[in-house]
Amino acid sequence: MEIKKICVLGAGLMGSGIVQVCAAAGFDVTMRDIEKRFIDNGMNTIKKNLARDVEKGKITREQMETVLGRIEPTLDLKEAAGDADVVVEVVIELMDLKKKVYAELEEIVPPHCLFFTNTSGLSITEMAAITSRPERFIGTHFFNPVPVMRLLEIIRGQQTSDETVEIAVAWGRKIGKEVVMVKEAPAFVVNRILCSMINEAFFVLDEGLATPEDIDKAMQLGCNHPIGPLALGDLIGLDTQLRICEGMHRELGDKYRPSPLLRKLVRAGNLGRKSGRGVYDYGKK
Ligand code: CAA
């Protein structure tokens, strides 16, 4: 099956990044979200990223216009997904909400359409099971910032077909990503390890072992990480980090208990860069 038209559901940080890399690879993409301001923000992010690439001489202004011309932002689900070959769903990490979206999509998409879910750790099999096409359903886990990070984790559900795996792997490579295949398990490979480390950094902070700056500095200089774990939590979003930890705790046991400090920050609305404040202060949003 040849993929021509892709529908991305979600225009946030991850959704807009996925739209950008798909359009840059030559696909026609619809970007759908539920409010105009989300779509406008998503388009602005893409324009800013591409303009930076023009400034750096990585692409020409004409190439930027061509990429932007392949993107169609919309609020209308039918318009977005009605003739899509693939839907990449980037809805917030709540299983019930994702299921609701798939129930709606089932009424709209053509029979051959594949469902790719960008989830940071939820069960692919559970989502696929509520659709009429579990064999055409697969997990495609991207990393933030999507245009920069080279990895794509591909997770096959219990009923995903070999053909769907092949198509998803080829698509991942076409949009410039290195692919690793992962068996389905809570948080997959990267987040199982990464979010455990970030969670531990919050325990370390809560115990007062060092300042946030020194915890981050220690991991950057001591382990050559590009960014410290607390700053990375702020980049990922502390609410997302908490949800991933809660999922691992629920399914894998007490070893993965979320840090109470992390929970407290989320309750206070300190969600990281996106809210203007997380562990660090980024100025008012
Ligand atoms: N969008 C697009 N490009 C971006 C960007 C963004 N949001 N942020 C940075 N870049 C680009 C810059 O333009 C720059 O490009 P060039 O090399 O062409 O000049 C490059 O990335 C480096 O950026 P900077 O020099 O501004 O800053 P930096 O060196 O501090 O790098 C970073 C920034 C790439 C984010 C780096 O800190 C990093 O790699 N951090 C780790 C990110 C990470 O671990 N992500 C995974 C999170 S886990 C996840 O996403 C999964 C999940 O489910 C939670």
Side-chain angles (χ1 to χ4, degrees):
M1 187 192 109
E2 194 193 351
I3 300 173
K4 285 196 185 124
K5 174 137 182 234
I6 297 173
C7 161
V8 177
L9 295 184
L13 219 53
M14 300 304 285
S16 63
I18 295 168
V19 169
Q20 183 184 326
V21 294
C22 288
F27 295 107
D28 291 327
V29 196
T30 53
M31 177 169 74
R32 194 260 177 173
D33 213 315
I34 52 172
E35 284 187 38
K36 185 165 180 318
R37 65 192 169 109
F38 298 149
I39 292 178
D40 290 345
N41 281 344
M43 280 311 291
N44 286 338
T45 303
I46 295 170
K47 282 179 191 159
K48 228 168 44 199
N49 284 344
L50 293 173
R52 202 169 45 211
D53 285 348
V54 172
E55 265 169 43
K56 285 182 190 156
K58 286 182 172 176
I59 56 170
T60 62
R61 189 151 291 279
E62 293 70 45
Q63 282 170 319
M64 166 174 164
E65 293 306 329
T66 306
V67 172
L68 289 174
R70 294 191 188 117
I71 303 171
E72 197 188 317
T74 177
L75 291 170
D76 187 326
L77 187 62
K78 216 171 191 162
E79 195 180 300
D83 58 350
D85 301 310
V86 170
V87 173
V88 186
E89 167 272 306
V90 198
V91 168
I92 188 165
E93 289 286 85
L94 295 169
M95 181 56 91
D96 287 347
L97 187 58
K98 286 194 184 260
K99 284 182 178 171
K100 195 166 157 264
V101 169
Y102 284 112
E104 274 181 67
L105 278 172
E106 284 272 75
E107 306 294 318
I108 291 170
V109 296
H112 71 275
C113 182
L114 300 166
F115 288 158
F116 293 178
T117 176
N118 179 69
T119 171
S120 47
L122 297 176
S123 168
I124 311 304
T125 303
E126 186 174 342
M127 281 181 255
I130 69 130
T131 73
S132 62
R133 61 191 80 209
E135 72 290 349
R136 286 198 290 284
F137 198 113
I138 198 161
T140 51
H141 182 213
F142 285 84
F143 296 85
N144 181 19
V146 175
V148 179
M149 303 305 283
R150 294 172 59 209
L151 182 67
L152 177 64
E153 277 184 318
I154 294 192
I155 307 99
R156 112 180 259 166
Q158 185 63 28
Q159 298 181 73
T160 310
S161 70
D162 290 344
E163 193 195 352
T164 300
V165 172
E166 270 171 40
I167 294 170
V169 169
W171 170 77
R173 292 187 178 136
K174 188 157 180 207
I175 59 173
K177 302 301 174 197
E178 293 277 342
V179 171
V180 293
M181 286 302 305
V182 180
K183 285 188 187 152
E184 183 174 321
F188 317 132
V189 169
V190 174
N191 282 346
R192 167 103 167 249
I193 299 168
L194 180 71
C195 294
S196 300
M197 179 193 72
I198 295 172
N199 195 42
E200 199 57 37
F202 277 92
F203 276 109
V204 166
L205 178 62
D206 211 8
E207 286 169 28
L209 299 194
T211 62
E213 290 79 6
D214 277 356
I215 292 169
D216 278 345
K217 185 175 169 184
M219 292 305 289
Q220 279 185 276
L221 303 186
C223 302
N224 250 358
H225 289 187
I227 184 173
L230 299 170
L232 184 53
D234 278 354
L235 177 74
I236 291 170
L238 298 188
D239 50 343
T240 303
Q241 163 69 21
L242 178 61
R243 254 184 238 118
I244 296 167
C245 287
E246 282 172 340
M248 292 197 292
H249 187 212
R250 209 168 36 243
E251 296 217 23
L252 298 170
D254 208 42
K255 180 178 160 193
Y256 299 91
R257 180 171 67 92
S259 139
L261 174 61
L262 172 64
R263 202 181 283 289
K264 215 178 333 181
L265 287 173
V266 172
R267 282 180 178 152
N270 293 8
L271 306 183
R273 286 194 197 190
K274 64 184 169 189
S275 71
R277 194 182 173 89
V279 175
Y280 298 103
D281 197 343
Y282 301 90
K284 268 240 169 303
K285 269 268 159 178

